Amino acid sequence: MSLYDFLVILHVFSAILGLGPGFVMIYIVTTAKDMRELKHAYQIRNRVHHFVMIGGTLLLITGLGMALIRPYLFTEMWYMVSLVLYLIALVGAPIFLSPRSKPIKQMLAEVEDGEIPENYDALAKELFFYERITNMIFLVIILLMVTKPF
Ligand code: HEM
Ligand code: HEM
C-alpha cells in the first residue's frame, strides 16, 4: 500500500468515525426534560465535540497530505472549493457558534436542578440555526469529495 492509499483510508475513517458524530450533536440535547438531564446531555455533547475536533483535524491533515503527494489536486476545483469551505466552517466556529453557546453554558453552570428556564429555547434555537449551517457545509464537502464533479 502506498502512503497515498494509507492517507485515503485514514481520511475516510476520520470522516465517518470522527466527523460523523458531529451531525447528532443537536439531537443529543433535544430530549432533556429538566435541568439535570439538560446538564448531562450537554456534557455528552461536549465529549462528542472533542471527538469531532480530533476527526476534523485528522481530515484536514490527511487531506492536505494527499495533495502534497499529488500536487495536481491543488488545481482541482472540487478540492480547492472543499478546502475553502472547510476553512470557512472552522473559522466560523469561534465567530458564530461560540458566542451563541456561551449564554447556554452560563445557564447550565448557574441554574440549579429543576425546571429548564423559559429563555433556554430561544438561546438553543439561535445556536442550532448556525450549527445546522455548519452541518450543511460539511454535507456539501462530503458530496464534493465523493462525486468530484469539477
Ligand atoms: C458537524 C460538526 C461540528 C459541529 C456541529 C460543531 C459545533 C460547535 C459548537 C456548537 C461550538 C460552540 C462552542 C461549544 O459549544 O463548545 C463549536 C466551537 C468550536 N469548534 Fe466545533 N463543531 C463541529 C466541527 C468542528 C471541527 C471539525 C473542529 C476542528 C477541527 C471544530 C473546532 C471548534 C473550535 C476550535 C471551536 C471554538 C471553541 C471556542 O471558541 O472555545 N469544530 N463547535
Ligand atoms: C467535512 C470534511 C470532509 C469529509 C467528510 C471528507 C470525506 C471524504 C471521503 C468520504 C472521501 C472518499 C471519496 C472517494 O474517493 O470516493 C474523500 C476523499 C478525499 N478528500 Fe476528503 N473529506 C473532507 C475534507 C477534506 C479536506 C478539507 C480535504 C483537503 C484538504 C480533503 C481531501 C480529500 C482528497 C484529496 C480526497 C481524494 C482521495 C482519492 O480518492 O484519491 N478532504 N474525502
Side-chain angles (χ1 to χ4, degrees):
M1 191 201 297
S2 67
L3 177 60
Y4 185 90
D5 292 339
F6 176 71
L7 288 181
V8 177
I9 292 172
L10 199 57
H11 189 78
V12 175
F13 271 70
S14 309
I16 297 170
L17 297 174
L19 196 83
F23 293 97
V24 298
M25 280 173 57
I26 296 174
Y27 193 65
I28 289 173
V29 295
T30 48
T31 51
K33 288 186 285 294
D34 55 34
M35 274 314 280
R36 212 173 64 87
E37 288 185 10
L38 194 66
K39 286 176 190 177
H40 188 232
Y42 269 88
Q43 257 171 23
I44 295 170
R45 184 179 139 95
N46 282 343
R47 286 171 64 91
V48 170
H49 187 248
H50 291 161
F51 214 77
V52 177
M53 283 200 283
I54 295 170
T57 307
L58 275 175
L59 268 177
L60 187 61
I61 293 172
T62 50
L64 288 173
M66 286 186 265
L68 288 181
I69 297 174
R70 296 189 184 161
Y72 80 88
L73 284 169
F74 287 120
T75 65
E76 293 281 328
M77 274 301 274
W78 66 268
Y79 182 91
M80 289 312 291
V81 172
S82 301
L83 183 55
V84 170
L85 281 178
Y86 191 86
L87 294 177
I88 289 174
L90 225 51
V91 172
I95 299 173
F96 296 104
L97 295 176
S98 296
R100 288 172 178 88
S101 83
K102 213 169 148 196
I104 296 177
K105 284 185 174 166
Q106 203 176 342
M107 176 184 286
L108 294 172
E110 288 171 358
V111 176
E112 305 271 317
D113 287 355
E115 290 264 300
I116 298 172
E118 259 175 38
N119 63 333
Y120 166 76
D121 282 342
L123 294 174
K125 202 175 155 201
E126 166 126 5
L127 172 66
F128 296 164
F129 172 77
Y130 287 93
E131 213 172 304
R132 287 197 178 93
I133 295 178
T134 308
N135 282 338
M136 278 188 269
I137 293 176
F138 287 134
L139 283 177
V140 171
I141 297 177
I142 298 176
L143 201 64
L144 286 173
M145 292 282 133
V146 178
T147 60
K148 306 180 177 73
F150 39 67

